[in-house]
Amino acid sequence: MSLALQNIIRSHQITQQSALRFEPESVEFAQDPYATYELLRGQSKPFYFEAADIWLLSRYEAVDAAARHPKLVRSLQSFMTIDEVAAITRRANWHNMPNHSRFVQTSLLDSDGDVHFRLRLIVLRELSKNFVLKVKPTIQAYVDTLVEQTLERQEIDFIADLAAHVPGHIIGNILGVPDEDCPQLRLWSEDVVQFFDVGRTQQHKQLAERATTEFYLYLKDLIADRKRHPKNDLVSTLLQAQIAGELNETELISTCMLILMAGHGSTIDVLGTGMYALIKHPQELQRLRQQPQHLATAVQEMFRYDSPLPFFHRYASEDVVLMGQEFPKGTKFGLLYGSANRDASQFTEPDRFDISRQPNRHIAFGRGAHLCLGNHLSRLDMEVIFSRLIERTRNIEMMGTEPKYKGGLSIRGLETLSLRFTAK
Ligand code: HEM
């Protein structure tokens, strides 16, 4: 097909699609993205979101295929020259973020091919299912103490007073960060990821750069300490890998940052939305109390029902055809994992929260080359917390008005969730 014809078809399609209002920064979208996702899935072609110059894929089959497509990649570097990438990043005004560009925008998540494979293998062996089971007693002990403190208070904001204390602490411990520094990790992580939302402002970029710099200096000191006094932690293991020539210092630091950033906010968010789903479906909560053998499937359902990271991007590294439409090399796609997980063509009654749903092949952890490396750890965190809370309480009820969701396309989580616990 000629380029001119492709352009005519594309502009016709965009005109038709403009009838569909897509406003991911709106309050309405934050409260209920699923109505919009359903409209998107109703389109027979990918939806062009002009404000971000990105083509959105919303159906399960299309998102699944895109996540596994060998020609759809995470990084511009894999199909552009250094000068072309530099020109694009300058246009996007990233040039004033040296540390964020060096350590965050070029992590293993944002690499492809051989580099990605090499770095992924190093992390894979550290966050394997077996490794994670070994840290279970430490997680359990920490969660038990936290839950007991919560029950003493009876009324809490589940997000700030409980969920927010869990993943940063656990990932910090795995990395080798002392307990007293874990709260700071959480703050850095939150500022660093502000950069990734489509609605980011100049202020978000400044915050992200400052937090990255502070985090970098902290990790540099920690690494220097582990050089002198190796310990049984991830920083020491990655350092050994660096000494063995498996990765360089920049990659070591960016991998530590990625592990924290990927796992911190997402786990807090799914703890909150998972708890909210149980409260909004009291029969399912009751069923879980009576049949705790459903815990693992209940946790999987929480990931499907309100996926905490509902959107990731890919670039076409060469011309591709998706959903019967041709796209030129360089096209950017948005993979709406959150929408795919509510697609009726894959899930029976997708809007129903069912703690024993099986099969449940959700895509909350992605698919293919970039499949989440923290999926065992985050599911374990969830299982430990929910099982303890259910064992130790007679009743959990929501206080006040309905909670508000955080805004934007990239994350799904509650701002607050006021709860009252009645201990057994
Ligand atoms: C709590 C919920 C979590 C969710 C929903 C989640 C989701 C995801 C998704 C969807 C991806 C793939 C991104 C893409 O397709 O481009 C991903 C990648 C990744 N996740 Fe997670 N994640 C979670 C927790 C964690 C945790 C706890 C860690 C680490 C401790 C972690 C580490 C990573 C890493 C390192 C990658 C990059 C993998 C690669 O590029 O090969 N995640 N995550």
Side-chain angles (χ1 to χ4, degrees):
M1 195 190 303
S2 75
L3 196 61
L5 186 58
Q6 276 184 43
N7 283 339
I8 292 168
I9 293 174
R10 181 174 133 145
S11 60
H12 173 68
Q13 210 176 331
I14 292 170
T15 318
Q16 274 193 332
Q17 289 188 340
S18 59
L20 193 158
R21 277 179 56 208
F22 184 67
E23 294 170 346
E25 295 308 311
S26 69
V27 176
E28 292 75 22
F29 184 85
Q31 285 308 110
D32 178 18
Y34 298 108
T36 307
Y37 287 159
E38 196 176 342
L39 292 175
L40 288 174
R41 288 194 303 272
Q43 311 265 323
S44 58
K45 297 286 174 199
F47 177 81
Y48 183 61
F49 178 33
E50 201 171 356
D53 189 18
I54 193 165
W55 290 84
L56 298 176
L57 302 166
S58 50
R59 293 181 180 179
Y60 183 93
E61 201 188 344
V63 174
D64 176 45
R68 295 199 263 162
H69 199 302
K71 300 299 170 202
L72 295 186
V73 296
R74 291 262 332 167
S75 65
L76 293 168
Q77 284 83 345
S78 41
F79 62 97
M80 282 184 170
T81 64
I82 293 173
D83 288 346
E84 285 169 334
V85 175
I88 288 180
T89 50
R90 263 199 307 279
R91 271 206 303 281
N93 198 17
W94 292 349
H95 60 283
N96 57 347
M97 303 181 71
N99 284 322
H100 199 275
S101 314
R102 181 174 166 209
F103 297 117
V104 182
Q105 293 163 33
T106 42
S107 70
L108 97 94
L109 173 61
D110 280 306
S111 60
D112 298 282
D114 293 348
V115 174
H116 173 252
F117 187 70
R118 170 172 56 81
L119 295 173
R120 186 173 165 93
L121 271 191
I122 299 171
V123 179
L124 192 64
R125 66 185 182 224
E126 294 310 315
L127 291 180
S128 67
K129 194 171 179 183
N130 281 346
F131 166 82
V132 165
L133 286 177
K134 273 193 224 147
V135 294
K136 186 174 176 186
T138 320
I139 299 177
Q140 185 76 60
Y142 177 69
V143 166
D144 286 354
T145 313
L146 204 58
V147 168
E148 290 314 312
Q149 286 165 357
T150 303
L151 293 180
E152 273 167 30
R153 290 179 54 187
Q154 292 174 357
E155 290 181 16
I156 60 159
D157 171 9
F158 185 72
I159 309 293
D161 298 330
L162 200 149
H165 292 274
V166 179
H169 187 93
I170 289 167
I171 298 170
N173 273 197
I174 290 174
L175 283 171
V177 170
D179 283 357
E180 61 275 17
D181 294 344
C182 290
Q184 180 59 56
L185 288 199
R186 175 189 159 196
L187 299 178
W188 283 328
S189 157
E190 279 162 10
D191 286 349
V192 170
V193 296
Q194 298 253 6
F195 172 83
F196 290 106
D197 212 281
V198 282
R200 65 185 169 216
T201 62
Q202 196 57 30
Q203 200 194 2
H204 289 138
K205 292 182 189 178
Q206 280 163 1
L207 263 181
E209 175 63 12
R210 197 173 62 212
T212 312
T213 307
E214 289 173 8
F215 195 6
Y216 160 52
L217 295 174
Y218 179 86
L219 284 172
K220 238 177 120 175
D221 282 352
L222 190 67
I223 291 165
D225 179 75
R226 291 306 188 270
K227 252 185 205 151
R228 293 188 297 270
H229 314 288
K231 289 195 179 166
N232 187 18
D233 57 35
L234 190 54
V235 166
S236 303
T237 312
L238 291 175
L239 187 60
Q240 288 312 309
Q242 189 203 334
I243 292 164
E246 293 182 54
L247 77 175
N248 62 36
E249 199 203 354
T250 302
E251 290 169 339
L252 193 166
I253 297 208
S254 86
T255 301
C256 292
M257 285 190 183
L258 173 66
I259 286 172
L260 176 71
M261 284 169 334
H264 171 69
S266 50
T267 309
I268 297 176
D269 287 340
V270 72
L271 279 166
T273 53
M275 175 56 94
Y276 185 48
L278 283 177
I279 290 181
K280 295 298 281 181
H281 301 86
Q283 24 2 340
E284 293 301 281
L285 175 55
Q286 192 53 24
R287 200 149 73 92
L288 193 54
R289 287 188 184 287
Q290 286 162 355
Q291 301 165 13
Q293 71 272 22
H294 294 312
L295 183 67
T297 50
V299 164
Q300 291 284 22
E301 180 69 343
M302 291 171 189
F303 278 103
R304 183 197 71 86
Y305 188 73
D306 250 344
S307 306
L309 296 174
F311 163 94
F312 280 91
H313 77 266
R314 292 290 185 277
Y315 296 103
S317 64
E318 53 184 63
D319 297 356
V320 291
V321 177
L322 293 185
M323 295 176 80
Q325 185 168 343
E326 291 178 32
F327 294 93
K329 175 177 168 181
T331 304
K332 192 173 184 182
F333 295 97
L335 279 55
L336 293 174
Y337 293 138
S339 167
N341 284 336
R342 294 286 192 108
D343 190 336
S345 72
Q346 175 68 20
F347 303 99
T348 320
E349 293 186 71
D351 296 326
R352 191 162 65 85
F353 179 72
D354 172 1
I355 61 154
S356 57
R357 183 181 288 276
Q358 257 174 339
N360 188 353
R361 289 199 70 235
H362 67 73
I363 324 189
F365 293 116
R367 281 276 153 81
H370 292 276
L371 176 74
C372 177
L373 285 164
N375 77 85
H376 300 299
L377 180 63
S378 55
R379 281 188 287 129
L380 180 68
D381 286 352
M382 297 274 285
E383 287 177 23
V384 169
I385 293 171
F386 280 103
S387 93
R388 195 70 188 144
L389 279 172
I390 280 165
E391 260 166 44
R392 290 287 294 114
T393 59
R394 238 177 331 116
N395 194 30
I396 306 174
E397 60 185 308
M398 203 170 75
M399 317 263 297
T401 52
E402 289 295 315
K404 286 197 179 68
Y405 282 88
K406 297 172 185 171
L409 188 57
S410 307
I411 51 170
R412 175 106 182 120
L414 295 170
E415 284 176 357
T416 57
L417 180 62
S418 301
L419 298 182
R420 179 187 289 135
F421 291 99
T422 314
K424 269 188 183 154

